[in-house]
Amino acid sequence: MHGALFLIEFGAIILALGVLGRIAGRLKFSPIPLYLLAGLAFGEGGLLPLGASHEFVAIGAEIGVILLLLMLGLEYSASDLVTNLKTQYPAGLIDFGLNAVPGALAALLMGWGPVAAVVLAGVTWVSSSGVIAKVLGDLGRIGNRETPTILSVLVLEDLAMAVYLPIVTALVAGVGWAAGGLTLAIALAVAGAVLFLALRFGRVISRFVSSRDAEKLLLVVLGLTLLVAGIAQALQVSAAVGAFLVGIALSGEVAEGAHTLLSPLRDLFAAVFFVFFGLHTDPASIPSVLVPALILAFVTALTKIATGYWAAARAGLPVKGRWRVGGTLVARGEFSIVIAGLAVTAGVAPELGPLATSYVLILVIVGPLTARFTQPAAEALGRLLRKPARARSVDSAGAPPAEKAPVDDEVHTP
């Protein structure tokens, strides 16, 4: 009977996620907020709390995090990461300063302590690569001049996670400074070694993994990823970082083939992960943190827009492109939930889970809107501000100043 109940519960979860995903697709926005809401409904205090399938959902959620980070790593080569680190690191520093600091300050102001401050700083810092990639595709901006700048900021954030996640893991585990320093040193050594191997022997690794048989390629890549993730976790380095580094090490046709084969698995287990995070959040605890979440979302939406504008200006993009970069970077999603999930599992600041859930729900909905409307809103505001100046110019000179013809700085692929 227990096995039948498990199948019924888990089947109902997967079916519900499929229906929610279709609804999100029809409405043309990310399904992440719907998955989080499903987790709230299935968790303790929700409408239909789970029993038999909870443990399996927990394992599926861990696999979901690993696959999310693996697929992210497959998007970049080791040379891409090194090049971006050398040329775009000032944008990464500005990004960290403007977006991590508000989260840390919010945690300290609410009296949650330094560990929660480090965790919430990461939650507000990192944009959602998955949501942003989908938004760029939906808006037809993949070929725009500003898109490489957006990707550069995302690459720097993803690379920074290889250092940040081990720090958070050590902090929430309550280890001392010596053990924490050792953990970070191991993480940096592992990351450096993997990047070195990927740069020098990437083709050899890819050739070893490569196979014309889709089944063999899937089994080797998935097995290698889980093995490395497990070893990384045993060394007190985040399993997610291990998976990310495996993705970086693979390149060429192997990366493309693995991406195609693993995408359905990634989508399935990532959805389970978001549900699992929602399971750990009591819906009754959200109203008490909703106002702080709204304030934090508003502030960090503005700081992320400022980050993108500055990075695009540094890259020499015209004003239209600068606003589009800023608006596109607003969405938070998978990484924010991964970071908050570490703290929630460890029992750090009980209010942190509900706050992170509310925060991500707000910005994953607002993000696609800011990507679409930040530029026209900025132009409309500029016209309103220019009207008084134009009126004063007419009064003093008798004729309005000539306006330059707008320049279309979008470059779309055919």
Side-chain angles (χ1 to χ4, degrees), residues 265-397:
L265 280 178
R266 185 270 317 269
D267 293 340
L268 169 62
F269 285 105
V272 172
F273 165 70
F274 291 118
V275 169
F276 180 72
F277 186 82
L279 291 176
H280 282 266
T281 304
D282 186 353
S285 63
I286 288 181
S288 63
V289 296
L290 190 55
V291 172
L294 284 168
I295 295 172
L296 196 57
F298 177 74
V299 171
T300 55
L302 294 180
T303 55
K304 191 64 85 167
I305 290 173
T307 298
Y309 190 96
W310 186 90
R314 185 174 180 272
L317 292 171
V319 174
K320 283 185 177 182
R322 298 174 194 178
W323 287 118
R324 285 197 293 268
V325 171
T328 304
L329 289 172
V330 166
R332 278 29 167 224
E334 59 275 7
F335 255 131
S336 297
I337 297 298
V338 169
I339 295 164
L342 294 173
V344 169
T345 304
V348 177
E351 302 92 343
L352 185 57
L355 178 67
T357 301
S358 305
Y359 176 80
V360 171
L361 277 171
I362 293 166
L363 288 185
V364 84
I365 294 171
V366 171
L369 299 177
T370 58
R372 185 179 303 226
F373 297 115
T374 296
Q375 177 213 330
E379 291 177 345
L381 180 60
R383 286 193 294 270
L384 287 174
L385 294 176
R386 282 196 298 268
K387 280 184 179 180
R390 186 182 293 113
R392 287 194 297 270
S393 177
V394 170
D395 291 339
S396 60

Side-chain angles (χ1 to χ4, degrees), residues 30-348:
S30 170
I32 291 175
L34 297 182
Y35 295 157
L36 288 171
L37 290 173
L40 293 174
F42 289 126
E44 294 184 11
L47 300 175
L48 298 168
L50 296 179
S53 60
H54 190 278
E55 186 176 349
F56 187 82
V57 171
I59 297 172
E62 192 166 356
I63 295 174
V65 175
I66 290 170
L67 290 178
L68 276 170
L69 274 294
L70 169 66
M71 299 295 281
L72 199 58
L74 290 173
E75 297 290 337
Y76 313 117
S77 67
S79 58
D80 291 335
L81 290 176
V82 172
T83 301
N84 276 283
L85 186 60
K86 287 180 178 178
T87 60
Q88 300 292 341
Y89 71 90
L93 295 175
I94 292 293
D95 183 27
F96 172 78
L98 289 180
N99 297 286
V101 171
L105 290 177
L108 293 175
L109 289 173
M110 287 185 282
W112 293 350
V115 174
V118 174
V119 172
L120 194 55
V123 171
T124 60
W125 172 18
V126 185
S127 299
S128 171
S129 300
V131 174
I132 290 171
K134 179 172 175 54
V135 168
L136 289 173
D138 291 343
L139 297 179
R141 294 182 181 175
I142 298 295
N144 280 21
R145 290 173 57 187
E146 73 270 7
T147 299
T149 303
I150 295 171
L151 296 179
S152 294
V153 174
L154 296 177
V155 168
L156 287 168
E157 290 179 348
D158 298 338
L159 184 59
M161 287 298 100
V163 177
Y164 174 81
L165 285 176
I167 294 174
V168 172
T169 303
L171 287 175
V172 300
V175 301
W177 286 103
L182 179 61
T183 298
L184 179 59
I186 292 173
L188 292 174
V190 170
V194 171
L195 286 175
F196 173 78
L197 291 173
L199 283 169
R200 295 292 298 270
F201 306 106
R203 292 183 179 179
V204 176
I205 296 172
S206 296
R207 196 178 304 122
F208 169 76
V209 174
S210 179
S211 174
R212 293 181 180 274
D213 189 312
E215 179 184 352
K216 295 185 178 65
L217 178 62
L218 174 63
L219 293 174
V220 171
V221 173
L222 184 58
L224 177 64
T225 302
L226 294 175
L227 177 64
V228 172
I231 293 173
Q233 191 157 307
L235 293 172
Q236 300 300 312
V237 180
S238 170
V241 172
F244 180 62
L245 293 174
V246 170
I248 292 171
L250 301 179
S251 60
E253 293 182 1
V254 172
E256 293 176 6
H259 192 284
T260 301
L261 291 172
L262 288 168
S263 289
L265 280 178
R266 185 270 317 269
D267 293 340
L268 169 62
F269 285 105
V272 172
F273 165 70
F274 291 118
V275 169
F276 180 72
F277 186 82
L279 291 176
H280 282 266
T281 304
D282 186 353
S285 63
I286 288 181
S288 63
V289 296
L290 190 55
V291 172
L294 284 168
I295 295 172
L296 196 57
F298 177 74
V299 171
T300 55
L302 294 180
T303 55
K304 191 64 85 167
I305 290 173
T307 298
Y309 190 96
W310 186 90
R314 185 174 180 272
L317 292 171
V319 174
K320 283 185 177 182
R322 298 174 194 178
W323 287 118
R324 285 197 293 268
V325 171
T328 304
L329 289 172
V330 166
R332 278 29 167 224
E334 59 275 7
F335 255 131
S336 297
I337 297 298
V338 169
I339 295 164
L342 294 173
V344 169
T345 304
V348 177

